[in-house]
Amino acid sequence: MSEEGDKLTKARDEFVAQWGALGTQWGINRTMAQIHALLMTAPLPLTTDDVMAELQISRGNAHTNLKELVAWGLLRVVVKKGERREFFEAEKDVWQIFTIVARERKRREIEPALAILNKCAEESREITTPEGRAFHDQMRQLEDFVGFASKMSDRVSSMKHGLAVQLATKLLS
Amino acid sequence: MSEEGDKLTKARDEFVAQWGALGTQWGINRTMAQIHALLMTAPLPLTTDDVMAELQISRGNAHTNLKELVAWGLLRVVVKKGERREFFEAEKDVWQIFTIVARERKRREIEPALAILNKCAEESREITTPEGRAFHDQMRQLEDFVGFASKMSDRVSSMKHGLAVQLATKLLS
DNA sequence: GTGGTTTTTCAGAAATTCCTGAAAGATCGA
DNA sequence: TCGATCTTTCAGGAATTTCTGAAAAACCAC
């Protein structure tokens, strides 16, 4: 039995470590990704101290990243009767996770881009030189495309899981 | 005339600066994003020295990031008759840019994730404890979803622009 | 070959991001 | 109100990423 426990611990530790390393690529910091991995695979909600102990990190670090994950909506705070400490539990549904991440990425990556493109397209609207026209055109094309992507992202994110799969299956066939 | 030229220069400089700042969010470094912005809006191909002068950066920095952009496929090297220096020109078609970025992101973000999930699902396959089953299940669900996303990404990236728009329009209607 | 030009590399500096640890601030029961 | 417990903040330090500048390598015409 202890052997199976070992295998599980090993697999889980590996998942946490590797997922943390991947987090960097995804533009979130290592600790945040590790905490997310840890809680996604935790059978029960954990406290800040549990997380500190498991990942060997400081209280400040654990606290900041736990709250950040709560702000994203990837974790929930759980209050237990007769317990003063806060417990944290992860959203485990993959479609939910996906929509949360998609929304956040849209907010941080797509919307600022749109704002810039809008502004630059506007500022160059009335320039009549060939270079000016070319610039304006390029801004418009980018703006149109990014705006389009933004709308798509909204649509997909707000779909029910089943519907999205249905659509995707059609696309893949 | 000079007034229009000023307006264009101003708009373009702003685009380069802001796009550079955005690059950070997108997980590429500021300089790389700035160079990309500069060349996407350049009427003619530029040399390394042009880029150094425009962005006020060192030769090493300019060189490294130009080559990186060429490796991505976002820039092309242009050789001019009677010129020894290399000139660089950007891919300006938005759909092309999108597919290139999508492919690169898939390679850097999705594929490593799949590899990890695969490994962890495999390692926990035979564990029979309830915790082990739960872990294995979670890995499988993530694996399935990410694999699915990977295939979708491939499909969309390899579409012709028109087809993608057609599909998307249907989705948006 | 030689001299002049352009490209490439890379060690160390600069900038940015992330983490720690401790102190201050809340919360709560008695 | 007090003491105990838990949460939050943040200055300074550590780690990571990015950039510079100069030297080396590659290239080319003569």
Side-chain angles (χ1 to χ4, degrees):
Chain A
M1 280 313 105
S2 167
E3 198 170 316
E4 288 211 318
D6 276 6
K7 274 174 83 175
L8 175 58
T9 304
K10 196 162 150 292
R12 212 173 144 219
D13 284 356
E14 181 170 0
F15 176 61
V16 171
Q18 305 260 61
W19 202 252
L22 246 187
T24 308
Q25 301 289 330
W26 284 73
I28 65 179
N29 71 50
R30 191 200 315 275
T31 305
M32 194 168 148
Q34 282 181 327
I35 294 179
H36 186 225
L38 182 68
L39 279 161
M40 267 200 308
T41 57
L44 296 170
L46 302 183
T47 64
T48 303
D49 288 82
D50 293 335
V51 172
M52 287 167 62
E54 288 275 0
L55 303 179
Q56 313 247 59
I57 58 175
S58 72
R59 181 173 305 283
N61 193 11
H63 175 80
T64 305
N65 285 294
L66 280 165
K67 289 293 147 141
E68 185 72 9
L69 283 162
V70 171
W72 276 52
L74 289 171
L75 299 186
R76 278 181 293 275
V77 176
V78 179
V79 228
K80 292 198 178 180
K81 285 198 250 203
E83 271 283 8
R84 220 163 117 194
R85 296 173 298 172
E86 289 185 325
F87 286 73
F88 298 89
E89 110 189 320
E91 170 60 61
K92 294 188 179 181
D93 180 82
V94 290
W95 180 252
Q96 280 299 324
I97 295 171
F98 170 76
T99 60
I100 288 168
V101 172
R103 260 189 265 271
E104 186 67 18
R105 284 199 150 194
K106 176 176 171 255
R107 197 175 69 70
R108 301 202 302 175
E109 299 180 357
I110 297 188
E111 279 164 13
L114 252 188
I116 292 166
L117 294 168
N118 238 294
K119 186 147 187 291
C120 291
E122 193 49 45
E123 284 178 3
S124 59
R125 178 183 299 285
E126 291 162 1
I127 304 178
T128 52
T129 57
E131 290 87 11
R133 303 297 293 275
F135 178 81
H136 179 68
D137 256 36
Q138 184 70 17
M139 290 301 103
R140 280 294 304 276
Q141 285 186 41
L142 285 165
E143 188 189 356
D144 287 351
F145 186 82
V146 175
F148 198 67
S150 176
K151 284 212 197 75
M152 291 280 289
S153 167
D154 282 345
R155 281 301 166 107
V156 174
S157 295
S158 65
M159 279 178 172
K160 288 263 179 303
H161 185 181
L163 188 55
V165 170
Q166 202 180 332
L167 173 78
T169 305
K170 208 150 101 191
L171 185 61
L172 287 179
S173 67
Chain B
M1 276 312 104
S2 169
E3 198 171 317
E4 288 211 317
D6 275 5
K7 274 174 83 174
L8 176 58
T9 304
K10 195 162 151 291
R12 210 172 145 219
D13 283 356
E14 180 170 0
F15 176 61
V16 171
Q18 304 259 65
W19 201 253
L22 246 186
T24 308
Q25 301 289 332
W26 284 72
I28 65 179
N29 72 50
R30 192 200 315 277
T31 304
M32 194 168 149
Q34 282 180 327
I35 294 178
H36 186 225
L38 182 68
L39 279 160
M40 266 200 307
T41 56
L44 296 170
L46 302 182
T47 64
T48 303
D49 288 81
D50 293 335
V51 172
M52 287 167 62
E54 288 275 0
L55 302 180
Q56 313 246 61
I57 58 175
S58 72
R59 181 173 306 283
N61 194 10
H63 175 80
T64 305
N65 285 295
L66 281 165
K67 289 293 147 141
E68 185 72 9
L69 283 162
V70 170
W72 277 51
L74 289 171
L75 299 186
R76 277 180 295 276
V77 176
V78 179
V79 229
K80 293 198 177 180
K81 285 198 250 201
E83 271 282 8
R84 223 167 114 191
R85 296 173 298 172
E86 287 184 328
F87 287 73
F88 297 89
E89 106 189 325
E91 171 60 60
K92 294 189 180 181
D93 180 82
V94 290
W95 180 253
Q96 280 299 323
I97 295 171
F98 170 76
T99 60
I100 288 168
V101 172
R103 258 191 266 272
E104 187 67 19
R105 283 200 151 193
K106 176 174 172 257
R107 198 176 67 71
R108 299 203 302 176
E109 299 179 359
I110 297 187
E111 279 165 13
L114 252 188
I116 293 166
L117 294 168
N118 237 293
K119 186 148 187 291
C120 291
E122 192 50 45
E123 284 178 4
S124 58
R125 177 182 302 282
E126 290 162 0
I127 305 177
T128 51
T129 57
E131 291 87 11
R133 303 298 290 277
F135 178 81
H136 179 68
D137 257 35
Q138 184 69 15
M139 291 301 103
R140 280 294 302 277
Q141 286 186 40
L142 285 165
E143 188 188 357
D144 287 351
F145 187 82
V146 176
F148 199 66
S150 177
K151 284 211 196 75
M152 291 279 290
S153 167
D154 282 345
R155 280 300 165 103
V156 174
S157 295
S158 65
M159 279 179 172
K160 289 264 179 300
H161 185 181
L163 189 54
V165 170
Q166 201 180 331
L167 173 77
T169 305
K170 207 150 103 190
L171 184 60
L172 286 180
S173 66

